[in-house]
Amino acid sequence: MHSSELLKGTLQTIVLKVLKDNGKMYGYEITTLVKELSENRILLTEGALYPTLHRLEAEGLLRTEVVNIGKRVRKYYALTPDGKAQAKDRVNEFVDFIKTMSAVLHVRMAQ
Amino acid sequence: MHSSELLKGTLQTIVLKVLKDNGKMYGYEITTLVKELSENRILLTEGALYPTLHRLEAEGLLRTEVVNIGKRVRKYYALTPDGKAQAKDRVNEFVDFIKTMSAVLHVRMAQ
DNA sequence: GTCTAATACATAAATCACTTATGTATTAAT
DNA sequence: ATTAATACATAAGTGATTTATGTATTAGAC
């Protein structure tokens, strides 16, 4: 469960965007989806993910719904209206970051 | 001197690549170049830059040359052969990171 | 001619996201 | 029956970066 130093600071952006794209999801489901989308390059750790979900909820960006699956508990997270706005902002910020870095590093990425 | 959380982990990559592109440079010069290339979006702090330069030198990726300009001292840094290889690797790693993130966030950037 | 901003280096303490480690419990697979 | 996968949670430790200081020279504004 590790990845490059570059991933630091991307967790909230990732969580907000996958929730925007997929509606409600639970924590474990987010880790598996991100693992799949990233072709095993981004392996979210629970120690980072759960506190982040709790924090985003405390900030009013996510709302939760607890569902019992047999004797097991699942906690679904979905974006609030504020969360949707934040998701958009964060993705824009990321795209801007890529453009800036591309200019500094002289790599052609941003079209 | 601040910027987004996303910048974290990019400092070494930036330093190595601008040195690769510009030959020898001194610390202050690096901050002004990066500020210019990033259109004021990336403002390197001295507290981060100088320790990073010292560390890269200690790792054998940079070599230094001290020059006296009047009564003022300038410390020029340049890549060693290992440093050149690292610069290449770091940029490749960054491009790969962008591709992965683009896939996860569903943003089209990488060609 | 003096004051401020810019140039140029340096380091130490504090911060904070994230990793690592640990814990509990259920369910599926071998 | 045992292990791996599912599913949550939190606490201690790490480490890059920010913030805060410090010293000193040179250029520019007024």
Side-chain angles (χ1 to χ4, degrees):
Chain A
M1 318 287 182
H2 57 86
S3 38
S4 100
E5 200 68 24
L6 298 171
L7 257 328
K8 290 190 177 177
T10 62
L11 182 54
Q12 289 195 16
T13 305
I14 289 172
V15 168
L16 291 168
K17 187 53 161 63
V18 298
L19 284 174
K20 192 184 184 192
D21 289 343
N22 298 279
K24 66 179 182 181
M25 295 184 80
Y26 53 99
Y28 188 76
E29 193 182 12
I30 294 174
T31 65
T32 56
L33 176 63
V34 170
K35 184 181 175 186
E36 194 191 320
L37 289 173
S38 71
E39 289 170 350
N40 298 313
R41 288 190 184 87
I42 302 181
L43 308 176
L44 302 184
T45 59
E46 296 157 298
L49 180 63
Y50 290 115
T52 293
L53 288 170
H54 300 163
R55 192 182 165 194
L56 293 174
E57 187 188 4
E59 288 172 357
L61 303 178
L62 304 182
R63 60 174 174 73
T64 60
E65 186 191 341
V66 175
V67 176
N68 289 310
I69 306 291
K71 289 180 180 175
R72 193 184 279 162
V73 172
R74 264 188 205 161
K75 206 165 162 186
Y76 280 93
Y77 290 88
L79 296 180
T80 62
D82 276 3
K84 283 177 192 169
Q86 261 291 310
K88 194 180 229 175
D89 289 349
R90 290 303 197 107
V91 172
N92 285 339
E93 180 193 41
F94 184 77
V95 170
D96 198 63
F97 160 72
I98 291 175
K99 285 181 184 165
T100 300
M101 283 296 291
S102 297
V104 172
L105 299 182
H106 290 137
V107 289
R108 240 184 325 289
M109 292 259 82
Q111 139 275 34
Chain B
M1 323 317 175
H2 54 84
S3 37
S4 102
E5 200 69 23
L6 297 171
L7 258 328
K8 291 190 176 178
T10 62
L11 181 55
Q12 288 194 18
T13 304
I14 289 171
V15 168
L16 290 168
K17 187 53 162 62
V18 298
L19 284 173
K20 192 184 183 191
D21 289 343
N22 298 280
K24 66 179 181 180
M25 296 184 80
Y26 54 98
Y28 188 76
E29 193 182 13
I30 294 174
T31 65
T32 56
L33 175 63
V34 170
K35 185 181 175 187
E36 193 191 323
L37 289 174
S38 69
E39 290 170 350
N40 297 314
R41 288 189 184 86
I42 302 180
L43 307 176
L44 302 185
T45 58
E46 295 157 299
L49 180 63
Y50 290 114
T52 293
L53 288 169
H54 300 162
R55 192 182 164 194
L56 293 174
E57 187 188 5
E59 287 172 356
L61 303 178
L62 304 182
R63 60 174 175 71
T64 59
E65 186 190 341
V66 176
V67 176
N68 289 312
I69 306 291
K71 288 180 181 176
R72 192 183 279 164
V73 172
R74 264 188 204 163
K75 207 165 162 186
Y76 280 94
Y77 290 87
L79 296 180
T80 62
D82 276 2
K84 282 177 193 170
Q86 262 291 310
K88 193 181 231 176
D89 288 348
R90 290 304 197 107
V91 172
N92 285 339
E93 179 193 42
F94 184 76
V95 170
D96 198 61
F97 160 72
I98 290 176
K99 285 180 183 166
T100 299
M101 283 296 291
S102 298
V104 172
L105 299 182
H106 290 138
V107 290
R108 236 182 330 285
M109 290 260 83
Q111 140 279 26

